[in-house]
Amino acid sequence: QHSCRTSRVGRGRAGPKGARMASDQAKYDLLAKISPYLDKHLLFPLLEHVQEQKVYKEEDVLRAQVDLLTKTKLVDFAVDKYKLLHKTDTAPPEMVNRRKEVVAQIKDAKAECRPLLTLLEDPALAKPGSGENKGYREMLVMMAEKSGITPEMTEGLYKYAKTLFECGNYGQVDKDSPMGAAEFLPIYRALCKDSSGPNALSALWGKLAAEILLEKWDEAIEDFKKLRELIDTRFFANPLLQLEQRTWLIHWALFVYLKPELSTHPNGRSELIDLFFTERYLQAIQTNAPHLLRYLTTAVMTNTSRRHALKDLVRIIQQERAAYQDPITEFVECLLVNFDFDGAQQKLAQCDKLLEGDYFLGSLKDEFVSQARLFIFETYCRIHQCIDVRMLADKLSMKEDEAEVWIVNLVRNARLDAKIDSEKRHVIMGATKPSVHQQIYNKTMSLCFRSYVLGQNFQKHRAKYDVSSDPTGEGGP
């Protein structure tokens, strides 16, 4: 029964290999760049999205889904996609045999940890999903020792939970459903002797993936922060491995901070901005994933409280221009670097198509376009005192009447110091300067980021000094 379940987020590795473009959105698609840093199961929602948006040919997407599914234990789902692709009602023999193998693997994995599974049925431990709770964890360890649970059984639980995940049993959809990977993995971490071992780290990655696929965003955000702390504080013999782990983490951050509803997680974009601007993660973006500038730029553009980050954002976009650019980053360059309003208008039209086809940004399309128009207007107003409404409507890709109503609403809501001459159809700007309070606020926010960078650099130099002054490594008195 576990070999056919799929995620609630959707069904969807790379943009379909050799796929033919079905729309203009295909040239903006980042699936091929993002997929190397995602678990195979996290790719199903992305593939289903490009299928719904008709970004690629239907046949190419189905073929990519079948190729991906053959590398998982989602056998029944693979059979369904195979039948759609080949327009048949018969599953191939290799898939039928594969299903039997998967069912046998589930039974074998369960048998390896059966005493531990029996222990978990104890009423005192009947709190699925409580593996991260300190009191529960202490009781679990105590009862496991009394029951003679061996390290081999504990590792067997990890293998069983991993098998369940690979079969699509990510965890409990509700409190009455059976336990799955998301419930067993924290129990494994609680009982694991080596909390810093590779399986312990993999278990946390797996639990995060399961929570993303089940859309349990509160738990996902909490585990994401634990994983970030573990990666940042753990010793890696090879620094490149730590860089790779951080690169994976910032890709998974797109799910955690951009997919939850804004009403329930209003700070998601702000936390994404903070993460991406942190020096060590910014290095990961610039080294391995400059395409994530699309998401950083969108988060800053749609977050009015983070306008102070624009200066640093523009600098990074210019630095990485040779490595990556798309209509969103080019829009910012046109407007805030080159003051090319015609170019910004053209890029904004392209942004509309890009955002609609992007799995993570589709819900932000209207907000981005609205804020982008406001950026164009504010920038234009800073260098002009009297503005013709007809010309402004053209710059904003709006009808003349719509542009006038939009400007009136800005004035009415005290977001714009201006007057409208209805006869001449002109907007006359008032002389405005940022308040002293706003200037101090902007400087302070910038100072926090620069202080952090300064502190990190100081620690690095101090570490080098300590090593050079004490080459024996024995330390001073």
Side-chain angles (χ1 to χ4, degrees), residues 12-237:
R13 208 125 174 123
K17 192 174 181 180
R20 295 157 290 173
M21 290 188 179
S23 70
D24 291 338
Q25 293 174 342
K27 61 185 177 183
Y28 305 132
D29 181 43
L30 291 181
L31 197 48
K33 295 181 181 292
I34 290 175
S35 61
Y37 301 102
L38 297 181
D39 181 88
K40 288 187 286 291
H41 291 248
L42 293 180
L43 288 170
F44 295 131
L46 277 69
L47 277 175
E48 185 168 85
H49 178 77
V50 298
Q51 186 177 28
E52 292 172 352
Q53 293 292 321
K54 302 187 186 305
V55 176
Y56 299 102
K57 297 290 185 182
E58 179 80 8
E59 181 184 347
D60 294 328
V61 178
L62 282 171
R63 185 175 291 106
Q65 289 174 328
V66 172
D67 289 345
L68 179 62
L69 286 164
T70 55
K71 301 171 185 174
T72 71
K73 292 183 172 67
L74 294 167
V75 185
D76 291 352
F77 189 28
V79 169
D80 292 341
K81 291 297 181 180
Y82 178 90
K83 290 178 179 179
L84 285 173
L85 175 62
H86 296 282
K87 296 178 175 59
T88 180
D89 295 328
T90 306
E94 59 268 21
M95 286 190 174
V96 176
N97 294 332
R98 173 68 170 159
R99 192 184 196 285
K100 295 177 182 178
E101 292 174 5
V102 168
V103 172
Q105 288 173 8
I106 295 173
K107 291 180 179 178
D108 292 343
K110 189 174 184 178
E112 289 184 32
C113 60
R114 191 175 300 279
L116 182 50
L117 294 176
T118 302
L119 174 64
L120 295 175
E121 294 175 0
D122 190 296
L125 295 174
K127 297 179 182 179
S130 301
E132 301 290 354
N133 179 275
K134 185 178 180 181
Y136 177 91
R137 192 164 61 242
E138 291 175 351
M139 182 181 295
L140 175 64
V141 172
M142 179 184 68
M143 293 183 68
E145 290 176 351
K146 287 184 178 180
S147 302
I149 299 300
T150 64
E152 289 75 18
M153 295 176 189
T154 301
E155 292 302 318
L157 181 66
Y158 170 78
K159 181 180 177 181
Y160 179 55
K162 188 172 184 291
T163 304
L164 291 181
F165 178 89
E166 291 172 346
C167 292
N169 185 355
Y170 304 121
Q172 291 182 314
V173 178
D174 54 60
K175 62 181 180 181
D176 296 324
S177 58
M179 294 171 68
E183 289 73 46
F184 288 128
L185 287 172
I187 292 173
Y188 166 76
R189 282 175 51 80
L191 295 174
C192 181
K193 297 297 183 183
D194 185 6
S195 59
S196 61
N199 282 354
L201 182 61
S202 295
L204 189 53
W205 278 106
K207 184 170 184 282
L208 175 58
E211 288 160 348
I212 290 172
L213 292 163
L214 293 170
E215 297 184 11
K216 295 183 176 181
W217 299 121
D218 290 332
E219 294 90 336
I221 291 172
E222 182 180 346
D223 284 327
F224 180 88
K225 292 177 179 178
K226 290 179 183 177
L227 190 55
R228 177 185 174 182
E229 182 180 1
L230 189 60
I231 292 171
D232 288 343
T233 57
R234 184 182 180 188
F235 173 75
F236 288 84

Side-chain angles (χ1 to χ4, degrees), residues 232-338:
D232 288 343
T233 57
R234 184 182 180 188
F235 173 75
F236 288 84
N238 185 354
L240 290 178
L241 182 58
Q242 188 175 38
L243 177 64
E244 184 182 2
Q245 291 278 308
R246 285 179 177 147
T247 306
W248 276 72
L249 192 67
I250 54 181
H251 282 84
W252 290 40
L254 302 179
F255 289 97
V256 174
Y257 291 128
L258 294 180
K259 292 307 291 181
E261 292 291 335
L262 186 62
S263 58
T264 55
H265 297 87
N267 298 322
R269 277 172 278 172
S270 288
E271 293 187 23
L272 182 78
I273 293 169
D274 290 335
L275 174 68
F276 281 15
F277 270 125
T278 303
E279 184 190 20
R280 57 192 66 176
Y281 290 95
L282 184 57
Q283 289 175 350
I285 292 174
Q286 293 178 301
T287 304
N288 290 338
H291 52 270
L292 293 184
L293 288 176
R294 169 186 295 185
Y295 303 100
L296 176 59
T297 303
T298 304
V300 172
M301 288 282 294
T302 57
N303 194 330
T304 55
S305 65
R306 303 304 295 269
R307 289 283 186 91
H308 61 273
L310 273 172
K311 185 176 180 181
D312 289 323
L313 176 64
V314 169
R315 174 178 53 81
I316 296 166
I317 288 175
Q318 288 184 288
Q319 288 176 350
E320 301 303 319
R321 194 174 192 279
Y324 179 78
Q325 54 183 320
D326 65 21
I328 291 178
T329 60
E330 289 175 325
F331 171 81
V332 172
E333 273 198 295
C334 285
L335 189 60
L336 301 180
V337 179
N338 304 324

